[in-house]
Amino acid sequence: MQLVDAHCHLQSDDFGRPIEDILDEAAGAGVVKLVTAAASPEDWGACRALAEQHDAIECALGIHPWYVEPEHRDALGPLGDARACGAKAIGEIGLDRKVDSPPLVLQMDLFRAQLEIAIEIDLPIVVHCRGAFNDLFEIVRRMGLPRRGGMIHAFSGSIEVANECVALGFACSLGGTLTYRNSRKRERVLRRIFPDHFLLETDSPDMPPVGLTGAPNVPANITRNLRAAAEILGVSEEVVAARTTANAARLFDLEL
């Protein structure tokens, strides 16, 4: 099986060990590509360097809604060169009403600006969204999406929200939360987005699967998310792997 970790943060210092060890473990688990997403401009150089140094790594460049600052309005110029620098997406960008700061008006301002760049340079977007799907949908209906659309990472919305995401051109990725069972909502959402709009992620070093809390999450743990998804859907792991890998390859224009 070939697997793609559609969303992780390999530039993080939280792993506490060499990236080569992380990648060797991931390869042993069948992971052939990993998309490492920036959270702030300070991450952009590290993400690009990882993608340049390791064939298995691709990068997404953007500013996470938790970390937007007023001065970032004038610091987005380099994102216009993201495609030329090898980035596969603009992200992680988005909106979050469940935090008090930064204010939503600033989050929306920077989200619009980054979405505009993504459309201009024809890169998909990777989106963090909590409690703000109505705001997200309003912006996307007005501005549109890049040609290949985008991905809502760590999706936790309702079936109604999932329907609107798909209608607008988004795929949805899920990670360790798949291993937390007995959620009828999650089962309904997964059945809605599978097979054509579902991707696997780890969000490592965050969001570990059940039983692995207390240590940094790693991309190799994607096999636990795969197993959980297959059990929920009632299909084989091979089928889920094939469909999610194909979806990721299409979204991010990956060569596998």
Side-chain angles (χ1 to χ4, degrees):
M1 288 186 295
Q2 289 186 321
L3 295 168
V4 174
D5 188 346
H7 189 85
C8 54
H9 301 282
L10 300 176
Q11 72 277 14
S12 173
D13 294 329
D14 292 343
F15 292 106
R17 51 200 179 101
I19 187 64
E20 289 76 15
D21 292 351
I22 303 296
L23 294 177
D24 285 346
E25 288 180 2
V31 180
V32 294
K33 282 288 184 180
L34 311 93
V35 181
T36 190
S40 71
E42 289 72 28
D43 278 348
W44 295 351
C47 288
R48 287 198 307 267
L50 284 169
E52 290 169 359
Q53 294 163 10
H54 303 279
D55 291 341
I57 299 177
E58 305 290 354
C59 70
L61 305 179
I63 308 177
H64 191 290
W66 291 355
Y67 304 114
V68 296
E69 300 283 353
E71 55 267 29
H72 288 154
R73 292 187 178 99
D74 300 318
L76 295 179
L79 277 189
D81 296 324
R83 186 183 187 91
C85 292
K88 293 296 186 177
I90 297 297
E92 171 177 1
I93 65 177
L95 303 171
D96 196 327
R97 279 187 175 268
K98 295 191 176 184
V99 294
D100 294 327
S101 180
L104 186 65
V105 64
L106 179 61
Q107 293 181 40
M108 294 177 72
D109 187 14
L110 269 296
F111 176 75
R112 290 189 195 95
Q114 293 179 93
L115 173 56
E116 183 177 12
I117 291 171
I119 293 170
E120 287 177 355
I121 64 175
D122 194 24
L123 284 181
I125 59 173
V126 176
V127 176
H128 166 107
C129 189
R130 291 197 312 164
F133 279 104
N134 287 337
D135 306 288
L136 175 70
F137 294 158
E138 181 180 351
I139 292 172
V140 170
R141 289 188 196 108
R142 185 169 64 253
M143 295 183 60
L145 284 177
R147 179 174 52 89
R148 290 200 305 277
M151 177 183 87
I152 309 293
H153 114 86
F155 182 84
S156 61
S158 65
I159 185 68
E160 292 78 14
V161 169
N163 283 333
E164 187 63 18
C165 285
V166 170
L168 288 172
F170 285 108
C172 300
S173 64
L174 286 84
T177 57
L178 286 165
T179 65
Y180 289 77
R181 304 308 175 82
N182 303 318
S183 171
R184 178 61 179 158
K185 181 182 82 168
R186 187 177 304 116
E187 179 180 345
R188 290 182 68 205
V189 166
L190 187 55
R191 292 186 182 281
R192 172 63 185 91
I193 61 178
F194 184 81
D196 296 326
H197 309 284
F198 173 46
L199 299 96
L200 287 169
E201 66 163 86
T202 62
D203 200 22
S204 56
D206 304 316
M207 291 180 62
V210 165
L212 295 179
T213 56
N217 191 16
V218 294
N221 291 338
I222 199 170
T223 56
R224 296 180 179 241
N225 306 338
L226 169 68
R227 185 178 309 119
E231 291 175 358
I232 293 169
L233 290 165
V235 300
S236 70
E237 292 180 25
E238 288 78 10
V239 167
V240 176
R243 295 311 297 254
T244 55
T245 296
N247 292 342
R250 182 174 62 251
L251 177 66
F252 296 117
D253 193 25
L254 303 178
E255 294 184 10
L256 303 180

